[in-house]
Amino acid sequence: MDDKKQERKLKIRNIKNGISIDHITAGKAPEVLKILGIDRGFTDSVTLAMNVKSSKMRKKDIVKVENKDLDVNEINKISVIAPQATINWIHDYQVVKKEKVKLPDELIGIVKCPNPSCITNKEREPVKSIFLVKNTNPVVLVCKYCERETESLY
Amino acid sequence: MSLKHWNKKHIISIRDFSRDEIDFVLKKSALMEDKLSSSKPVKLMKGRILANLFFEPSTRTRMSFETAMKRLGGKTVGFSVAETTSEAKGETITDTVRVVEGYADVIVLRHPAEGAARVASENIKIPLINGGDGANQHPTQTLLDLYTIQKEYKKIDGLSIAMVGDLKYGRTVHSLANALESYNVKLTFISPRELKMPKRMVNRLRDKNIEVKETTKLNIGNADVIYATRIQRERFPDLQEFERVKEAYVLDEIILNKLKDDAIIMHPLPRVSEISPEIDETRHARYFQQSRNGVPVRMALLCLVCGVDF
Ligand SMILES: [Zn+2]
């Protein structure tokens, strides 16, 4: 029994190579997985913890993914739904880099405008969505084109 | 404000305008109206072409721009969707304006998709004026609304302005409220509970220290300007409810003795029954004049964005 407990603990705490995303807004871990493109077909080990007690945020989610890297686009997307998240890059069980996500002033081509009448949602029109970040806590975005404000994008 | 500041500038959204820019356009519009009323023809845009691209019909906006350009001695080309062939419909806006850029000196675009004007403007070097993009913006309407108020009172600061009707979906009242943000005005929003001004707009105005009152009653006794809008049947699932609500916000002779002596009544037109015809002949009615004011305002804008001094 003790061994089993130990093993479970280990699995949550440590990955050999990959990324660990901490301080995710409570309840948003599944959306983070979506951003990372993790679905049924994903074969590497993924650990997810939701509503974990946190001294800083009261409650938080954590996601750890083995053998995974993150690009700027993914980090920006995460910053929209979890503005307080921190990302740890892990190599050989060691944290080699740590970064707090930062919501950029402009989100270009990474979120879809929720307004169906927006020109960015018209098929064939060659235009990327651009959102201006109006507020960071809570996150409020304004579509550069249809000018609608939006608070939840996922 | 220099001419260079306006040359080749796109007019997309009233939110892009600073107070100084609005005031400048209003000042220039007054100048243009003086020119218009003198007997000498204005030839400021002689030899230039305006392309009116109307992807949805709007006869009044189109005629107003056409009149403005022709009064300036310029010419117009273009289409309105009723007349268009499938090619114009299937083509992207980006492609359409790139083609038209080769024909004209300035474009007016009306399109049902929100943000269409901004996308179009990013793909061309000649100036583009937004003639309405869906429920989003119609900046020349807002400028002519402000011009009408300014012309009447010689000021906007210090006025009390009441907006009546559909404040939830009404594009004109949203844009007007946006523009009034940088003025020192008192606003009263009068609407049925179902059609209130969106909360974020009210909050935004209050953040800018604008006194905002919201009410369901037609209390217009203190207003210098009453801006009426149409309440549309589509907004009400229940027809009886619509009839009741519509009745409650009609401006008719009964309200006349409640009005301030010099109060003016405005409306973006077309009206249906929200202003009864007996108001038309009173000293309060300004809606037809408001609509006429669109011509000098659009003339001024056309000259400014084409780099024509006056
Ligand atoms: Zn949009």
Side-chain angles (χ1 to χ4, degrees), chain A residues 12 15 32 50 59 62 69 95 148:
Chain A
I12 292 180
I15 53 175
V32 170
M50 287 179 75
K59 268 159 123 200
I62 305 169
D69 195 7
V95 175
R148 293 256 184 116

PDB file of all heavy atoms in Angstrom, chain A residues 12 15 32 50 59 62 69 95 148:
ATOM      1  N   ILE A  12       3.136  12.037 -10.152  1.00  0.00           N
ATOM      2  CA  ILE A  12       2.629  13.396 -10.239  1.00  0.00           C
ATOM      3  C   ILE A  12       3.769  14.402 -10.151  1.00  0.00           C
ATOM      4  O   ILE A  12       3.810  15.381 -10.859  1.00  0.00           O
ATOM      5  CB  ILE A  12       1.585  13.666  -9.132  1.00  0.00           C
ATOM      6  CG1 ILE A  12       0.352  12.826  -9.409  1.00  0.00           C
ATOM      7  CG2 ILE A  12       1.230  15.135  -9.070  1.00  0.00           C
ATOM      8  CD1 ILE A  12      -0.746  12.989  -8.418  1.00  0.00           C
ATOM      9  N   ILE A  15       8.726  14.343 -13.874  1.00  0.00           N
ATOM     10  CA  ILE A  15       8.836  13.799 -15.210  1.00  0.00           C
ATOM     11  C   ILE A  15      10.299  13.905 -15.603  1.00  0.00           C
ATOM     12  O   ILE A  15      11.020  14.743 -15.078  1.00  0.00           O
ATOM     13  CB  ILE A  15       7.932  14.531 -16.243  1.00  0.00           C
ATOM     14  CG1 ILE A  15       8.168  16.047 -16.233  1.00  0.00           C
ATOM     15  CG2 ILE A  15       6.483  14.201 -16.029  1.00  0.00           C
ATOM     16  CD1 ILE A  15       7.393  16.775 -17.317  1.00  0.00           C
ATOM     17  N   VAL A  32      -6.180  23.708 -21.288  1.00  0.00           N
ATOM     18  CA  VAL A  32      -4.734  23.752 -21.570  1.00  0.00           C
ATOM     19  C   VAL A  32      -4.340  22.531 -22.413  1.00  0.00           C
ATOM     20  O   VAL A  32      -3.598  22.637 -23.385  1.00  0.00           O
ATOM     21  CB  VAL A  32      -3.916  23.835 -20.269  1.00  0.00           C
ATOM     22  CG1 VAL A  32      -2.428  23.634 -20.545  1.00  0.00           C
ATOM     23  CG2 VAL A  32      -4.145  25.176 -19.579  1.00  0.00           C
ATOM     24  N   MET A  50      -6.335  18.797 -10.809  1.00  0.00           N
ATOM     25  CA  MET A  50      -7.270  19.918 -10.799  1.00  0.00           C
ATOM     26  C   MET A  50      -7.658  20.294  -9.384  1.00  0.00           C
ATOM     27  O   MET A  50      -7.741  19.435  -8.509  1.00  0.00           O
ATOM     28  CB  MET A  50      -8.520  19.572 -11.613  1.00  0.00           C
ATOM     29  CG  MET A  50      -8.250  19.556 -13.113  1.00  0.00           C
ATOM     30  SD  MET A  50      -9.719  19.125 -14.077  1.00  0.00           S
ATOM     31  CE  MET A  50     -10.645  20.653 -13.948  1.00  0.00           C
ATOM     32  N   LYS A  59      -6.854  27.839  -5.160  1.00  0.00           N
ATOM     33  CA  LYS A  59      -6.972  26.584  -5.896  1.00  0.00           C
ATOM     34  C   LYS A  59      -6.327  26.753  -7.264  1.00  0.00           C
ATOM     35  O   LYS A  59      -6.401  27.832  -7.850  1.00  0.00           O
ATOM     36  CB  LYS A  59      -8.455  26.266  -6.142  1.00  0.00           C
ATOM     37  CG  LYS A  59      -9.076  25.402  -5.057  1.00  0.00           C
ATOM     38  CD  LYS A  59     -10.551  25.589  -5.109  1.00  0.00           C
ATOM     39  CE  LYS A  59     -11.382  24.375  -5.301  1.00  0.00           C
ATOM     40  NZ  LYS A  59     -12.732  24.651  -5.789  1.00  0.00           N
ATOM     41  N   ILE A  62      -2.701  21.824 -12.394  1.00  0.00           N
ATOM     42  CA  ILE A  62      -1.325  21.566 -12.858  1.00  0.00           C
ATOM     43  C   ILE A  62      -1.382  20.574 -14.022  1.00  0.00           C
ATOM     44  O   ILE A  62      -2.187  19.635 -13.998  1.00  0.00           O
ATOM     45  CB  ILE A  62      -0.459  20.939 -11.729  1.00  0.00           C
ATOM     46  CG1 ILE A  62      -0.488  21.826 -10.479  1.00  0.00           C
ATOM     47  CG2 ILE A  62       0.987  20.725 -12.188  1.00  0.00           C
ATOM     48  CD1 ILE A  62       0.112  21.145  -9.244  1.00  0.00           C
ATOM     49  N   ASP A  69       7.564  20.073 -25.914  1.00  0.00           N
ATOM     50  CA  ASP A  69       8.064  21.440 -25.829  1.00  0.00           C
ATOM     51  C   ASP A  69       6.891  22.375 -26.136  1.00  0.00           C
ATOM     52  O   ASP A  69       5.837  21.920 -26.575  1.00  0.00           O
ATOM     53  CB  ASP A  69       9.210  21.644 -26.829  1.00  0.00           C
ATOM     54  CG  ASP A  69      10.004  22.918 -26.528  1.00  0.00           C
ATOM     55  OD1 ASP A  69       9.740  23.543 -25.474  1.00  0.00           O
ATOM     56  OD2 ASP A  69      10.849  23.295 -27.355  1.00  0.00           O
ATOM     57  N   VAL A  95      14.636  21.159 -13.449  1.00  0.00           N
ATOM     58  CA  VAL A  95      14.045  22.323 -14.104  1.00  0.00           C
ATOM     59  C   VAL A  95      15.177  23.123 -14.747  1.00  0.00           C
ATOM     60  O   VAL A  95      16.078  23.600 -14.065  1.00  0.00           O
ATOM     61  CB  VAL A  95      13.297  23.220 -13.091  1.00  0.00           C
ATOM     62  CG1 VAL A  95      12.788  24.488 -13.777  1.00  0.00           C
ATOM     63  CG2 VAL A  95      12.135  22.466 -12.467  1.00  0.00           C
ATOM     64  N   ARG A 148     -15.841  43.902 -31.055  1.00  0.00           N
ATOM     65  CA  ARG A 148     -16.559  43.316 -29.919  1.00  0.00           C
ATOM     66  C   ARG A 148     -15.591  42.942 -28.811  1.00  0.00           C
ATOM     67  O   ARG A 148     -14.488  42.470 -29.066  1.00  0.00           O
ATOM     68  CB  ARG A 148     -17.297  42.035 -30.358  1.00  0.00           C
ATOM     69  CG  ARG A 148     -18.395  42.302 -31.306  1.00  0.00           C
ATOM     70  CD  ARG A 148     -19.750  42.203 -30.648  1.00  0.00           C
ATOM     71  NE  ARG A 148     -20.748  42.402 -31.699  1.00  0.00           N
ATOM     72  CZ  ARG A 148     -21.617  41.474 -32.067  1.00  0.00           C
ATOM     73  NH1 ARG A 148     -21.652  40.315 -31.448  1.00  0.00           N
ATOM     74  NH2 ARG A 148     -22.463  41.721 -33.027  1.00  0.00           N
TER      75      ARG A 148
END
